[in-house]
Amino acid sequence: MSGNYRDFLELSYAELEDLNLAAKDQRKKRVAIDKIQEERLKYLTDTKGIKAVTVLFSDLEGRLHMLDYDKKFLVNSYDNLTFDGSSIRGFTAQKESDLRLGLDWNAFYWTPSDVFGTGKVMVFGEVIDKNGAPYAADLRGILKQYANKMYDEKGYTLNAANEVEGFLFEGVDAERSYHKTGSFEYVNAGGYYHSLPGDPLREFIDTAAEVQRAMGFENEKDHPEVAPSQFEINYTYGDVVSAADQIQLYKLICRQVATQMGMTASFLPKPVTGVNGSGMHTNVSITKDKKNLFFDKAGEENMSDLAWSFIDKILTHGNDICLLLNSSVNAYRRLDPHFEAPNQIKASATDRGSMVRIPIGNEKSARVEVRSVGPDANPYGVLYSVFKTGLDGQIGNIENLRQAARYLPDNIYTAIENFQGSEWITSMLGADVKERFAELKKASADRCPRLLGTVVKGSEVQFHHEVYNQLLWGQF
């Protein structure tokens, strides 16, 4: 069909950036949601070039789902968008399958037409139970509820910035083709910061960074990482829910750009043995009345009592929350001390093998960095567990807590046992959601070899089988 008959919305990257930054500013200023909703509905109604609205939501494991609604239908029916929850892993059973999607009008994005198609905009959805309450297995909704509660009760704004690492491999669908090829092929053999202008990795990073910039990410820096063909694109911090949304968008953008370039962006924590894996270092802070509550010039490492209490609670519950931070079999291949892996349950300003690091900071940038997070984890579950634990958890009676010789699990079975036996997890997630998550993780683990490490004992075929199962069942 000729494109001459079409008149769908196509905005320049500069126009997109202005629109997305304006929407981001409204979110930051907490403009009343009914006013935002009115503005967005009017925009959709008045803008003839928009044909569809893509609604995004995530399942219990953090897998992103997208539904395209015809614009006219959505404008007239946005308050009654239903879907079959029994088809979503970790959601309802078949006998109670009907769920609704509410629209978080604050989380509205204008998208580049050359990447996501013409005439489309995006908005994040909120899963709503039959009784009208937020759905317990929608961790985005749980995170949003908690963030709002902290703001309403204490005036706290929960902030996060995530450094998400990934690999770029030759070929489209390189992960799903792994069972045939038995290996991943690098697109670049360089290392940390090393990539010449014009090579495939640099072109990919440049393109993905431009898309992120257009979508209001406010980029900071981007570069190749330590391992060959590994990348990281950093952007500024935001409130905790928008930060988690941006993780989902970041991975979506990278995968889409890579596919268009004939390559694959992979967020498996450890897709290749013998080189550094990929992490999702999670930087968090809390502000009140625009003041960073984690900073204290007179405090140890210039950190406040609140920040150290936050750290101590994370360390106390490190094994409890490990499964939420490292939710796949493959994630435990990354937690290998030979490759700068943060598997020690301690805090340090310098040791990158520590679960928690205290980066050099000032009154603006003081923060806590949780390093033991895999890029394939549910970002809403990660940030909810980190903030909920750091603020509401307990400080254990552990000698020399911040430097004790304690380690995270080296396999997912131990992590599942710790998770299931944790009273703290029950209080955070509720018994039902806790059990659903554990069962999903156990089912994934049972499809893979039990013996993990830098090298899986046995034949190379066994290792291939493990990775293929990880990919086949979507644990990335």
Side-chain angles (χ1 to χ4, degrees):
M1 181 184 295
S2 171
N4 296 332
Y5 298 104
R6 301 179 183 180
D7 187 22
F8 294 139
L9 184 69
E10 295 183 68
L11 299 176
S12 71
Y13 274 42
E15 291 172 306
L16 291 168
E17 184 176 13
D18 288 343
L19 287 167
N20 284 312
L21 287 177
K24 190 175 186 178
D25 189 57
Q26 287 182 315
R27 193 171 184 176
K28 190 180 299 183
K29 291 178 178 176
R30 297 179 180 269
V31 174
I33 190 62
D34 56 343
K35 181 180 178 182
I36 301 293
Q37 176 180 306
E38 183 181 352
E39 283 186 15
R40 300 290 181 262
L41 286 170
K42 185 177 188 305
Y43 177 82
L44 291 173
T45 302
D46 294 347
T47 307
K48 303 303 181 185
I50 296 177
K51 61 181 177 182
V53 179
T54 302
V55 181
L56 305 94
F57 69 97
S58 301
D59 63 24
L60 183 56
E61 294 177 287
R63 195 174 291 101
L64 187 65
H65 297 265
M66 296 181 286
L67 296 168
D68 269 15
Y69 286 94
D70 178 85
K71 182 193 73 173
K72 293 178 182 178
F73 173 83
L74 182 131
V75 166
N76 291 317
S77 308
Y78 66 88
D79 56 351
N80 189 35
L81 303 175
T82 60
F83 71 101
D84 180 5
S86 67
S87 300
I88 307 299
R89 283 167 62 85
F91 279 16
T92 58
Q94 188 170 354
K95 64 182 179 181
E96 47 179 22
S97 58
D98 287 343
L99 293 173
R100 287 195 296 121
L101 277 176
L103 299 185
D104 187 350
W105 294 104
N106 269 319
F108 189 97
Y109 291 87
W110 286 261
T111 59
S113 59
D114 58 332
V115 177
F116 294 106
T118 59
K120 291 185 178 184
V121 291
M122 284 183 176
V123 63
F124 278 85
E126 302 175 328
V127 184
I128 301 170
D129 212 336
K130 290 183 296 184
N131 60 11
Y135 185 56
D138 175 24
L139 296 186
R140 184 185 189 276
I142 301 304
L143 174 64
K144 185 177 177 181
Q145 275 187 301
Y146 184 71
N148 288 340
K149 179 173 182 276
M150 289 296 100
Y151 184 80
D152 294 339
E153 294 182 359
K154 298 186 176 183
Y156 288 177
T157 297
L158 311 183
N159 307 301
N162 300 81
E163 305 167 43
V164 190
E165 298 168 332
F167 279 88
L168 188 65
F169 297 127
E170 290 281 8
V172 176
D173 284 337
E175 293 172 322
R176 289 187 175 86
S177 301
Y178 189 89
H179 68 294
K180 298 177 182 177
T181 63
S183 65
F184 292 121
E185 186 177 346
Y186 297 137
V187 303
N188 174 285
Y192 206 35
Y193 299 161
H194 181 73
S195 180
L196 295 174
D199 80 10
L201 180 60
R202 186 70 256 175
E203 287 190 357
F204 162 79
I205 292 174
D206 288 348
T207 304
E210 282 299 323
V211 177
Q212 288 177 207
R213 189 175 294 110
M215 292 182 67
F217 273 56
E218 296 181 275
N219 294 358
E220 293 184 347
K221 64 178 179 180
D222 54 65
H223 56 86
E225 260 294 340
V226 175
S229 210
Q230 192 178 32
F231 63 88
E232 181 181 304
I233 307 173
N234 296 147
Y235 48 89
T236 193
Y237 73 94
D239 75 87
V240 67
V241 180
S242 61
D245 288 345
Q246 284 186 306
I247 295 170
Q248 297 293 63
L249 289 175
Y250 172 92
K251 293 195 285 188
L252 176 64
I253 290 167
C254 288
R255 289 186 177 119
Q256 184 69 5
V257 168
T259 297
Q260 290 182 340
M261 296 177 71
M263 297 179 284
T264 297
S266 173
F267 294 99
L268 277 167
K270 191 78 169 183
V272 182
T273 58
V275 298
N276 286 47
S278 293
M280 186 167 75
H281 302 157
T282 298
N283 297 274
V284 297
S285 66
I286 300 172
T287 53
K288 181 176 182 179
D289 299 327
K290 298 183 179 180
K291 179 182 178 182
N292 186 347
L293 299 184
F294 276 6
F295 179 76
D296 182 353
K297 190 173 182 179
E300 182 183 353
E301 301 293 346
N302 292 335
M303 299 292 276
S304 67
D305 290 343
L306 175 64
W308 281 112
S309 169
F310 192 98
I311 291 168
D312 290 344
K313 291 172 183 177
I314 294 289
L315 296 177
T316 298
H317 294 287
N319 278 321
D320 296 329
I321 65 175
C322 183
L323 187 65
L324 287 166
L325 308 187
N326 299 275
S327 56
S328 66
V329 173
N330 190 257
Y332 295 88
R333 297 181 61 82
R334 170 182 169 252
L335 295 180
D336 182 334
H338 296 95
F339 296 96
E340 300 181 4
N343 67 334
Q344 302 173 58
I345 308 178
K346 66 178 186 179
S348 173
T350 56
D351 185 355
R352 293 176 182 267
S354 300
M355 179 183 185
V356 176
R357 191 172 78 92
I358 302 94
I360 297 172
N362 54 29
E363 188 170 2
K364 180 181 178 182
S365 64
R367 62 198 186 276
V368 171
E369 179 186 10
V370 182
R371 294 177 59 81
S372 56
V373 185
D376 58 349
N378 183 330
Y380 305 103
V382 168
L383 289 171
Y384 175 61
S385 62
V386 167
F387 275 107
K388 176 72 172 173
T389 300
L391 287 172
D392 299 336
Q394 303 295 316
I395 298 178
N397 186 20
I398 300 170
E399 185 178 354
N400 194 24
L401 173 62
R402 296 172 193 169
Q403 291 298 317
R406 300 166 62 227
Y407 296 88
L408 294 169
D410 63 359
N411 67 89
I412 197 170
Y413 285 100
T414 302
I416 293 171
E417 289 172 9
N418 292 338
F419 181 88
Q420 288 185 301
S422 169
E423 293 182 6
W424 173 241
I425 294 296
T426 304
S427 69
M428 270 207 317
L429 298 179
D432 177 50
V433 173
K434 172 186 175 181
E435 190 57 30
R436 288 194 216 181
F437 189 79
E439 286 301 314
L440 287 171
K441 298 297 102 182
K442 190 173 186 302
S444 295
D446 285 346
R447 289 189 287 267
C448 301
R450 288 174 176 259
L451 298 175
L452 304 177
T454 302
V455 178
V456 176
K457 297 185 183 300
S459 69
E460 189 69 13
V461 173
Q462 187 181 36
F463 170 64
H464 292 168
H465 176 69
E466 176 209 328
V467 175
Y468 175 58
N469 273 310
Q470 285 292 118
L471 300 169
L472 179 65
W473 293 98
Q475 300 302 304
F476 53 87

